[in-house]
Amino acid sequence: MQIGMVGLGRMGGNMAERLRRGGHEVVGYDRDPAISDVTSLKDLVERLQAPRAIWVMVPAGKPTQATVDELGQLLSEGDTVVDGGNSHYVDDQKHAAELAQKGIRFVDCGVSGGVWGLENGYALMCGGDRDDVERLMPIFQTLKPEGEDGFVHAGDVGAGHFAKMVHNGIEYGMMQAFAEGWELLEASDVVKDVRGSFKSWRTGTVIRSWLLDLMVRAMDDDEHLDQLRGYAQDSGEGRWTVQAAVDHAVPLPVITAALYARFASRQDDSPAMKVVAALRNQFGGHAITSTEGSTGKGADSPGADVTPPRESDR
């Protein structure tokens, strides 16, 4: 099958290569002329035979919107745009409605697989009209891992990215659980082989998983993770998952806590804990630590000009 690929970065480039290995004709466009097959989106469209299929693999938000807008001006009735990036599902519905006015079809596809997808395949979660998805099945079958699983037509437009969003939210929670378990093991006086403990869990336990395999791999390279700083960004999908939970009144305590833990990791000092320290000092006379690192007097220390709190206020 012939397909255009817009965005040839780490994911898009490897996906294009996997498709070529599977016998498909891929015409790729990227802003970097060194890796692009054509010089513009217009050239890309002209290289493809109608009805065209173009897979968009660019960052979510404005880059995706700009690409969809331009393709909407270049494509013809019956052509199909696939958004395989990490777009918000509500944006999919907007893009589908805009393109539908010109008779252009739209499919959203959440993609998971990262840098390992070229060899192992990509898990695909699609949303859109059944006929549009069926037309693209040769592409999906080549990109997905071998075997029965790894692909789902999750529902209407937006369903693919909604499923991928929840997948990433679950991933946040799982990673946070591994992280907290690792920290507790490292803090223990009795456990001498933390890496070995994690490695032993890879077989026969209920928490064996690819994430656990990757955790062991990371410790193989840096046993105590001494070379890393505890600073973690978030891709945005964790935030969307929590917001969707609010919109649907669904409690997500684990995923929400994992997202907030990432926020905390990016603070050199916690503004909120300054308030907690100040209040503990005020009502309980507890010692405080200054910005210079010295420990100050509590509110009930000698010389403190404050009425000692009652026991019921502590």
Side-chain angles (χ1 to χ4, degrees), residues 207-239:
I207 64 168
R208 62 188 185 273
S209 63
W210 188 46
L211 275 178
L212 179 58
D213 293 340
L214 294 177
M215 180 67 190
V216 172
R217 179 187 174 94
M219 288 188 287
D220 285 343
D221 296 335
D222 180 8
E223 183 173 357
H224 300 289
L225 307 183
D226 295 325
Q227 300 174 29
L228 298 177
R229 180 186 169 203
Y231 182 104
Q233 287 285 7
D234 64 286
S235 64
E237 293 199 78
R239 303 185 190 205

Side-chain angles (χ1 to χ4, degrees), residues 158-201:
H161 280 141
F162 195 102
K164 176 59 163 48
M165 175 187 73
V166 174
H167 163 279
N168 280 26
I170 293 170
E171 180 184 298
Y172 274 48
M174 292 174 66
M175 285 193 286
Q176 186 65 25
F178 280 130
E180 292 175 8
W182 174 84
E183 183 174 1
L184 182 56
L185 287 171
E186 286 281 343
S188 169
D189 293 330
V190 296
V191 176
K192 305 301 182 185
D193 187 356
V194 175
R195 176 189 166 278
S197 298
F198 270 83
K199 190 174 182 179
S200 74
W201 298 341

